[in-house]
């Protein structure tokens, strides 16, 4: 699953057009009921590799942003050519569930042909030319304004599963014929949602001399993005050396660490600092 590694942007409109579109949206409905989290599939960051198109992000409160493929005369990290996706304009948006028209306050109107939690296909007009584009869902490092309602339910990836229910969570991880589970509470702290276990666990950390030092502490995991159908979790390095059991081989008894659940899978034993969990129900 792709993460937003680039900055964000979209094509801009004139000041008069912006004012006109903004007032129209401010006085009209945003087309969503956040209490029931309707149109969950629509929320989130929609990305495309077609540089003549646009990328956009939609939040549950009817706001969002657009990004465009831009050129910069100065060097841009990760983009030797000078081009990259850059934030262009903040928007309001509305979606008509009957006509299936997604209207953005920069003047774009997308006639949605296909909408799933992972894909959006729509027809729209650009520079007096009608085109059909397909976007795929990415994960954004933003917590949706309706996160308290949106987070309730179960989220999964290849190894992990977290179920949230009004301030409480249960976490479990399976892999390599091992399983580890714990429960706790969560709350928003700054720009993140922090999960903390109810009970402390034995873990190890390396000091400056690279010695294993045991420590008993509560487990904390940070969620840095929650939008629509994707949850972006900071890779739980704090868990890697947590003791989940013991193994006895003859006279030799040793601790089994959480990291063995992953079996050194390349998806986890890598340079990625974040993991994506997908909404299940």
């Amino acid at each position: 699953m792709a993460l937003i590694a680039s900055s964000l942007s979209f094509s801009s409109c004139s000041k008069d057009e912006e004012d006109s579109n903004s007032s129209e949206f401010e006085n009209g409905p945003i087309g969503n009921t956040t209490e029931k989290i309707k149109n969950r599939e629509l929320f989130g960051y929609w990305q495309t590799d077609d540089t003549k198109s646009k990328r956009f992000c939609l939040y549950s409160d009817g706001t969002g942003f657009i990004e465009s493929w831009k050129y910069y005369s100065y060097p841009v990290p990760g983009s030797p050519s000078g081009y990259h996706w850059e934030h262009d304009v903040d928007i309001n948006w509305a979606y008509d569930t009957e006509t299936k028209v997604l209207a953005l306050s920069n003047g774009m109107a997308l006639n949605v042909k296909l909408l799933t939690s992972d894909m959006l296909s729509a027809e729209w007009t650009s520079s007096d030319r009608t085109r059909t584009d397909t976007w795929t869902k990415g994960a954004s490092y933003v917590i949706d304004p309706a996160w308290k309602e949106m987070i309730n339910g179960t989220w999964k990836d290849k190894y992990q599963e977290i179920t949230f229910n009004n301030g409480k969570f249960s976490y479990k991880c399976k892999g390599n014929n091992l399983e580890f589970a714990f429960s706790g509470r969560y709350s928003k702290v700054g720009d993140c949602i922090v999960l903390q276990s109810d009970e402390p666990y034995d873990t190890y950390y390396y000091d400056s001399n690279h010695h294993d030092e045991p420590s008993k502490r509560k487990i904390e995991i940070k969620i840095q993005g929650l939008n629509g159908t994707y949850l972006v979790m900071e890779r739980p390095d704090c868990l890697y050396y947590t003791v989940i059991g013991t193994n006895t081989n003859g006279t030799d008894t040793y601790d089994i660490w959480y990291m063995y659940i992953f079996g050194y899978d390349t998806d986890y034993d890598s340079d990625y600092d974040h993991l994506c969990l997908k909404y299940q129900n």
Side-chain angles (χ1 to χ4, degrees), residues 100-243:
K100 296 185 178 179
V101 173
L102 172 61
L104 310 183
S105 60
N106 72 326
M108 290 180 63
L110 290 78
N111 295 295
V112 177
K113 305 298 183 183
L114 172 68
L115 175 62
T116 70
S117 60
D118 298 306
M119 183 179 296
L120 168 66
S121 181
E123 182 182 86
W124 63 290
T125 300
S126 174
S127 301
D128 297 325
R129 174 178 172 265
T130 299
R131 53 182 293 156
T132 298
D133 287 320
T134 298
W135 292 263
T136 56
K137 181 74 71 66
S140 61
Y141 295 103
V142 177
I143 304 298
D144 191 274
W147 71 271
K148 287 185 179 180
E149 297 86 2
M150 186 174 291
I151 200 171
N152 286 327
T154 299
W155 306 75
K156 291 183 179 181
D157 71 356
K158 183 177 180 180
Y159 295 106
Q160 302 170 101
E161 176 178 320
I162 311 177
T163 299
F164 297 89
N165 183 19
N166 297 319
K168 298 180 180 180
F169 75 90
S170 60
Y171 172 97
K172 64 181 178 181
C173 184
K174 293 181 180 180
N176 206 22
N177 296 317
L178 297 168
E179 181 176 345
F180 180 60
F182 61 90
S183 60
R185 297 179 178 273
Y186 62 92
S187 61
K188 193 165 184 291
V189 181
D191 295 331
C192 299
I193 300 171
V194 178
L195 283 58
Q196 185 180 74
S197 65
D198 288 329
E199 303 295 332
Y201 291 85
D202 292 324
T203 189
Y204 289 84
Y205 65 91
Y206 289 108
D207 65 12
S208 58
N209 295 318
H210 303 290
H211 295 147
D212 294 347
E213 297 291 340
S215 174
K216 198 174 189 70
R217 57 185 175 179
K218 292 185 177 181
I219 297 169
E220 286 193 356
I221 297 177
K222 289 183 179 179
I223 295 172
Q224 296 187 322
L226 177 68
N227 202 284
T229 53
Y230 287 112
L231 178 153
V232 183
M233 187 177 81
E234 187 176 277
R235 193 174 64 172
D237 290 342
C238 61
L239 278 171
Y240 268 32
Y241 300 101
T242 297
V243 178

Side-chain angles (χ1 to χ4, degrees), residues 12-23 89 105-106:
S12 60
C13 55
S14 70
K15 184 68 168 60
D16 290 340
E17 289 173 334
E18 278 191 54
D19 290 343
S20 174
N21 290 325
S22 295
S23 61
V89 62
S105 60
N106 72 326

Side-chain angles (χ1 to χ4, degrees), residues 14 59 90 201 264:
S14 70
Y59 304 131
D90 292 325
Y201 291 85
Y264 299 100

